[in-house]
Amino acid sequence: MKMKIKILFVVLAIFLFLAPEILAASSSFFSNAQNWYNSNCVRRPERARGQQAVLCYAFDKLNELHQTNDTQDQKITELEQRIEDLEVLHPTPTLTPISAKRVFITSTIYNGNLGGLAGADVKCQERVTAAGLGGSWKAWLSDDSISAGSRLTHNSGSYELINGSKIADSWEDLTDFSLDAPINISELNTTVNNPWVWTNTFGDGTIRQINNSSCINWSSTSSGGSTGDSSRTDGGWSDFGAIVCSSSRPLYCFEQ
């Protein structure tokens, strides 16, 4: 924004008073500019909005300079002050960087009776507390009616492992059935060699919706549950196969 404003002032300054000979040779341009100014800034000032208001302000201030009897050097000095004034009125916005969300696979394992989705989230949070990671976390897990994609925050920034390795550029990238790196690092920043992970979730975050795929909404050890494979980076990272719910497997945990 500042660069655009400075360019605007320089161009207008040249045509208004710094180079009269150029102005004389460009009467058509100046006439059109003057007509625009009269129509938008003088006759109907209430119409000036946004960048149009900036243009009107620029014309006004440069016209004030043009009417003075100052030397060219004095006008340039005053022009620089006008630029500073305009930058105060229309400052360049400060963009807040989007922080990455952290992801890990639990170093601990659990059977299919997780206490429902809420119980799985508690287990993730317990591992976060034990590792001193901080923040709010949820399990990448779906039951028969609620998907992981509808439960978790959709970050527009990246997703990273605890060791800093990026697995995806954004939620959209995370859920396109392809990761940049496998989710095989625990909350303790150690490699987990127990690849099958409770998920009941396709790689796009939706429910797998196959019979006996959620250990009866993650409340039983007597049924079957769907898993992902933490050694994979294709869609199999979240949807790889099904095993009995009496088995003990880790969870994927995502920072919210």
Side-chain angles (χ1 to χ4, degrees):
M1 181 65 177
K2 289 184 179 181
M3 182 59 69
K4 290 182 179 179
I5 291 172
K6 289 181 178 178
I7 292 173
L8 169 66
F9 264 89
V10 170
V11 171
L12 290 177
I14 289 173
F15 279 96
L16 286 176
F17 58 86
L18 294 182
E21 64 278 8
I22 296 178
L23 179 60
S26 308
S27 58
S28 176
F29 171 86
F30 182 73
S31 177
N32 290 336
Q34 189 65 47
N35 289 337
W36 181 92
Y37 173 76
N38 290 336
S39 175
N40 293 278
C41 306
V42 177
R43 295 172 188 164
R44 302 186 65 182
E46 71 279 358
R47 292 174 55 185
R49 296 289 187 275
Q51 290 187 349
Q52 184 172 309
V54 174
L55 283 170
C56 289
Y57 180 89
F59 268 109
D60 289 339
K61 295 306 176 183
L62 288 172
N63 190 52
E64 289 176 9
L65 291 177
H66 185 54
Q67 300 301 321
T68 68
N69 295 319
D70 293 341
T71 65
Q72 191 174 79
D73 287 343
Q74 289 173 321
K75 288 182 177 181
I76 291 175
T77 299
E78 292 181 38
L79 175 61
E80 291 173 347
Q81 183 59 52
R82 295 292 193 276
I83 292 174
E84 292 179 4
D85 293 343
L86 188 55
E87 289 174 350
V88 171
L89 291 174
H90 301 275
T92 301
T94 300
L95 300 179
T96 302
I98 301 172
S99 60
K101 296 297 184 182
R102 296 169 291 174
V103 181
F104 65 82
I105 180 175
T106 59
S107 61
T108 50
I109 55 178
Y110 314 92
N111 62 39
N113 186 1
L114 297 168
L117 296 177
D121 293 341
V122 168
K123 288 173 172 53
C124 280
Q125 203 66 48
E126 288 174 347
R127 300 317 306 156
V128 167
T129 300
L133 297 179
S136 176
W137 298 68
K138 286 186 177 181
W140 175 270
L141 194 70
S142 304
D143 63 14
D144 291 342
S145 59
I146 302 174
S147 69
S150 66
R151 297 186 339 102
L152 274 61
T153 298
H154 295 194
N155 192 35
S156 55
S158 63
Y159 289 84
E160 298 179 356
L161 301 176
I162 299 302
N163 63 7
S165 297
K166 180 170 65 68
I167 64 167
D169 293 324
S170 63
W171 175 266
E172 288 72 20
D173 189 31
L174 174 71
T175 54
D176 67 355
F177 299 94
S178 177
L179 301 179
D180 294 344
I183 306 175
N184 60 358
I185 301 298
S186 77
E187 74 280 5
L188 303 175
N189 199 19
T190 57
T191 301
V192 173
N193 295 312
N194 187 1
W196 286 21
V197 186
W198 295 124
T199 62
N200 189 36
T201 306
F202 286 124
D204 61 356
T206 58
I207 304 170
R208 193 165 184 261
Q209 290 184 329
I210 296 175
N211 291 336
N212 299 320
S213 62
S214 71
C215 297
I216 311 178
N217 290 319
W218 305 109
S219 64
S220 173
T221 59
S222 61
S223 184
S226 295
T227 64
D229 184 342
S230 63
S231 68
R232 301 176 68 114
T233 56
D234 60 6
W237 76 268
S238 185
D239 175 35
F240 183 70
I243 57 176
V244 295
C245 296
S246 57
S247 300
S248 292
R249 300 296 170 187
L251 295 168
Y252 290 132
C253 299
F254 280 67
E255 186 177 19
Q256 301 304 291

